[in-house]
Amino acid sequence: EKCARKGTESTGRMLRQIIALCAAASAAAFAPGAGVLPKAGVRAATATSPRMAVFPGSFSDSVPFLKQPTNLDGTLVGDVGFDPLGFSNVADIKFLREAEIKHGRVAMLAAAGAIFQDLATDPGYTAMAGGAKMTALHDVMVEKGVMGQLLFWISFAELFGTIALFDTLEGKRAPGDFKFDPMGMGKKDMASMQLKEIKNGRLAMMGIGGMTHGYFITGKGPLELLGNFNN
């Protein structure tokens, strides 16, 4: 009986040791290697604010259970360390910022246009498109052959955008900077205006996506849908 008890105790100690070694190995798998952590001094608030994760290292301000992307060091306006898919690790950060600003601007125009269609209509537009909205308007324009002309002018604008992008990649131009500020809104506080543009652009990208999918499902514009939500 004593021998059996000793054998059981020995087996129990062995199992506890194995479990401890496995736990240590699992923790080591999440430990960052040399050169992975961001530079010291970047995002001082990160080191003092509470974190959800228990792994050592610097974590993102926007997604606190993911590591801070190494190429997002807080120098870009609106950078909160949000890059869960790791795009900043495989593409030039200046190219990514140029793309974000461009898509944000297009989305702001699209969201404003989608809302305006529910507020007012032009008689000429109604005669041509029959009151079609959103994606239905696209289909009407394709049938009437108008989209070819629109595509031509967009391609013309993209040509200049591509030339500007090369200047950005070479460090000769800030991403998204076309020197377009007819109202002089950026003269007093350019950084504040840039932050507002980034935030509104991000919101508009999500907004126009929601408006479009709402139209797919209901066939109603954004304001029309809100006004007749139960119908």
Side-chain angles (χ1 to χ4, degrees), residues 32 35-43 46 51 56-76 78-93 96-97 202:
V36 175
L37 293 178
K39 296 179 180 179
V42 176
R43 297 185 180 276
T46 302
R51 295 297 170 198
S58 179
F59 289 84
S60 169
D61 290 337
S62 57
V63 191
F65 52 85
L66 294 180
K67 287 294 182 65
Q68 170 71 27
T70 54
N71 292 327
L72 296 180
D73 57 3
T75 56
L76 291 175
D79 173 18
V80 291
F82 182 81
D83 186 18
L85 298 180
F87 289 123
S88 62
N89 295 325
V90 296
D92 192 308
I93 194 66
L96 295 175
R97 174 45 61 98
R202 291 169 178 171

Side-chain angles (χ1 to χ4, degrees), residues 121-223:
T121 56
D122 180 81
Y125 160 79
T126 304
M128 177 183 65
K133 301 178 181 179
M134 307 287 285
T135 55
L137 175 60
H138 168 272
D139 297 339
V140 172
M141 295 295 101
V142 170
E143 293 177 0
K144 293 183 176 293
V146 179
M147 291 300 294
Q149 182 180 2
L150 182 61
L151 180 62
F152 171 79
W153 289 110
I154 291 177
S155 301
F156 185 72
E158 282 292 325
L159 176 63
F160 289 96
T162 302
I163 296 173
L165 175 60
F166 282 114
D167 288 340
T168 298
L169 296 177
E170 294 174 1
K172 301 177 182 178
R173 165 183 173 270
D177 183 11
F178 288 97
K179 306 298 181 184
F180 182 78
D181 187 14
M183 300 181 67
M185 300 179 69
K187 291 182 178 180
K188 294 183 179 180
D189 190 355
M190 177 60 75
S192 174
M193 297 305 298
Q194 288 175 334
L195 180 60
K196 291 175 181 178
E197 180 182 36
I198 285 292
K199 286 186 173 181
N200 284 281
R202 291 169 178 171
L203 180 61
M205 284 188 279
M206 293 187 290
I208 191 60
M211 294 177 194
T212 302
H213 283 81
Y215 186 82
F216 284 154
I217 297 171
T218 66
K220 299 177 181 178
L223 297 184

